[in-house]
Amino acid sequence: PEAFMARYREQELHRLDPLPGLAFRLGHPASLRDIIERAPSLNVEEQCYIEAVKDAGLTDTFMIPTYGPFARP
C-alpha cells in the first residue's frame, strides 16, 4: 500500500527491514509467512517492523531473492 511505502521511505525503515536479508539467506522464492517462520530470532526492532508489515496488510507477500554482481545482494 502507498501509505506504508511512504512511511518506509520517510522513516527509513530499510534500516530495520530484515526481509531482504532473510530471503537472501533462504536462497529461493518463499512466502512472507515461510520466511518469518524460518527466521532466526529477530530483535525487538525487527519484530516491530514485521508487525508493521502485517498491520499494513502485507501478509500474503512472496519474496524473491535477487543477486547483484558477483552474487551479492
Side-chain angles (χ1 to χ4, degrees), residues 5-39:
M5 293 308 300
R7 180 179 170 202
Y8 190 92
R9 287 187 299 274
E10 291 165 7
Q11 297 180 6
E12 298 182 346
L13 295 179
H14 66 276
R15 295 175 185 237
L16 305 176
D17 185 353
L19 297 175
L22 293 171
F24 182 74
R25 281 192 290 275
L26 188 58
H28 58 80
S31 70
L32 176 61
R33 180 177 297 132
D34 287 342
I35 290 171
I36 293 170
E37 287 175 1
R38 296 173 190 224

Side-chain angles (χ1 to χ4, degrees), residues 67-73:
Y67 304 87
F70 309 109
R72 292 178 298 172

Side-chain angles (χ1 to χ4, degrees), residues 36-68:
I36 293 170
E37 287 175 1
R38 296 173 190 224
S41 58
L42 300 173
N43 67 37
V44 173
E45 290 177 327
E46 292 170 333
Q47 290 173 357
C48 288
Y49 175 82
I50 296 297
E51 289 306 312
V53 167
K54 291 177 182 177
D55 290 345
L58 298 171
T59 57
D60 196 24
T61 303
F62 198 73
M63 304 285 296
I64 301 173
T66 56
Y67 304 87

